[in-house]
């Protein structure tokens, strides 16, 4: 893999592209993070990616909901994919683990709070947030967002924009927790939609619910993909001349 990346950089130089050494090193590090993720995903069928705060503990009703959801998905044979940390990520992984399912944790190197939870059956560690987000997106056929902070909101809007702009297929997206998410929904409706900053149908991309069975039913409707199949394989990658 390293040789391929280095050969690619030499090809760019051969075309006359001006590459500074730090940019080459940075580009190789980005590519390595992405490629190791893509290799790992090929060992998993697409599952359900579950996002949410690492700061919500076992006493939180959202933790218990995520744990229940992880168990239900495992019972129906759908892998659970999370960011690998604690809180909601641990809850979903725990639910899957308890029912003998697979729980993939895509962990990120952080100086403080992020360590891999004990329930992940498989894991991969990333250096860069953007590479990790790409894998959390590509690993799933359904997306679930529990309450969270800036990171969860970033992941939600990132995937939402990709669907809105047609950069990825429109796939089921659920926001769990009506009480938590309705103020955001109100802002989107009364500030973004009302001022024609988004299209009228954009809010239909996601669904706000308290019922985890909505997620399970969506996953069941899509069905089970083979390990060597990924919905993104059917999307054309346009190369620059």
């Amino acid at each position: 893999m390293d040789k391929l990346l280095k050969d690619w950089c030499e090809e760019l130089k051969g075309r006359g592209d001006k590459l500074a050494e730090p940019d080459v090193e940075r580009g190789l590090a980005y590519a390595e993070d992405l490629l190791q993720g893509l290799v790992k995903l090929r060992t998993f069928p697409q599952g359900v990616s579950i996002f949410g705060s690492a700061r919500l503990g076992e006493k939180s009703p959202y933790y218990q909901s995520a744990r229940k959801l992880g168990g239900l998905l495992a019972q129906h044979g759908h892998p659970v994919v999370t960011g690998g940390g604690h809180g909601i990520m641990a809850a979903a992984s725990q639910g899957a683990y308890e029912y003998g399912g697979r729980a993939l944790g895509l962990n990120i190197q952080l100086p403080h709070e992020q360590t891999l939870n004990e329930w992940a059956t498989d894991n991969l560690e990333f250096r860069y947030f953007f590479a990790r987000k790409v894998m959390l997106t590509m690993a799933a056929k359904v997306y679930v967002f529990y309450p969270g902070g800036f990171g969860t909101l970033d992941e939600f809007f990132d995937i939402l924009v990709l669907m809105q702009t047609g950069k990825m297929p429109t796939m089921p997206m659920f926001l769990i927790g009506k009480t938590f998410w309705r103020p955001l929904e109100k802002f989107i409706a009364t500030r973004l939609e009302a001022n024609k900053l988004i299209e009228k149908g954009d809010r239909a991309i996601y669904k706000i619910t308290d019922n985890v069975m909505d997620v399970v039913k969506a996953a069941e409707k899509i069905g089970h993909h083979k390990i060597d199949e990924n919905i993104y394989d059917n999307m054309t990658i346009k190369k620059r001349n």
Side-chain angles (χ1 to χ4, degrees):
M1 187 181 296
D2 287 343
K3 184 178 184 303
L4 288 173
L5 293 173
K6 289 176 181 177
D7 287 347
W8 173 64
C9 284
E10 289 302 318
E11 180 184 335
L12 291 177
K13 289 179 181 178
R15 288 188 342 203
D17 293 293
K18 294 182 179 179
L19 290 174
E21 194 62 33
D23 290 336
V24 172
E25 292 178 3
R26 190 175 296 113
L28 290 174
Y30 293 161
E32 183 179 10
D33 232 21
L34 288 166
L35 288 174
Q36 68 156 348
L38 292 170
V39 169
K40 183 70 173 183
L41 292 194
R42 288 298 177 179
T43 68
F44 260 76
Q46 281 181 291
V48 176
S49 281
I50 300 175
F51 304 84
S53 177
R55 303 184 184 191
L56 294 174
E58 293 186 15
K59 293 182 180 180
S60 167
Y62 297 121
Y63 185 104
Q64 295 305 321
S65 171
R67 182 177 174 183
K68 179 181 178 181
L69 175 57
L72 287 168
L73 290 170
Q75 289 179 59
H76 288 82
H78 302 287
V80 167
V81 185
T82 74
H86 298 277
I88 294 299
M89 295 171 281
S93 301
Q94 181 179 358
Y97 179 88
E98 289 170 338
Y99 282 92
R102 296 185 73 180
L104 175 59
L106 301 178
N107 201 34
I108 183 79
Q109 297 174 5
L110 290 178
H112 301 297
E113 63 186 26
Q114 185 79 5
T115 56
L116 184 69
N117 71 69
E118 62 184 300
W119 307 107
T121 62
D122 302 81
N123 73 88
L124 187 63
E125 191 167 87
F126 291 88
R127 292 175 63 186
Y128 301 105
F129 272 112
F130 81 90
R132 178 178 178 242
K133 285 197 294 181
V134 169
M135 299 311 136
L136 284 164
T137 304
M138 290 191 67
K141 56 194 174 187
V142 179
Y143 304 91
V144 181
F145 295 86
Y146 277 89
F150 291 150
T152 301
L153 291 173
D154 172 59
E155 289 154 344
F156 166 61
F157 281 112
D158 197 354
I159 295 175
L160 180 61
V161 169
L162 290 173
M163 292 187 189
Q164 179 204 37
T165 56
K167 293 296 184 180
M168 66 176 283
T170 300
M171 298 155 81
M173 176 184 282
F174 296 93
L175 304 179
I176 303 290
K178 290 182 178 179
T179 302
F180 181 86
W181 291 110
R182 274 178 174 162
L184 178 61
E185 168 73 353
K186 183 178 180 181
F187 173 82
I188 293 172
T190 61
R191 293 293 183 269
L192 304 186
E193 187 179 288
N195 287 291
K196 298 183 179 180
L197 300 175
I198 61 172
E199 298 294 329
K200 206 164 189 179
D202 288 343
R203 288 193 294 127
I205 296 173
Y206 58 86
K207 178 181 179 180
I208 300 176
T209 182
D210 288 322
N211 187 358
V212 295
M213 281 305 300
D214 289 344
V215 179
V216 178
K217 289 176 181 177
E220 285 289 278
K221 185 175 181 180
I222 293 172
H224 298 270
H225 292 107
K226 296 178 181 179
I227 290 178
D228 60 351
E229 293 178 345
N230 189 295
I231 192 169
Y232 295 97
D233 293 342
N234 298 320
M235 297 187 70
T236 302
I237 298 175
K238 296 182 179 179
K239 297 181 179 180
R240 292 183 179 179
N241 295 324

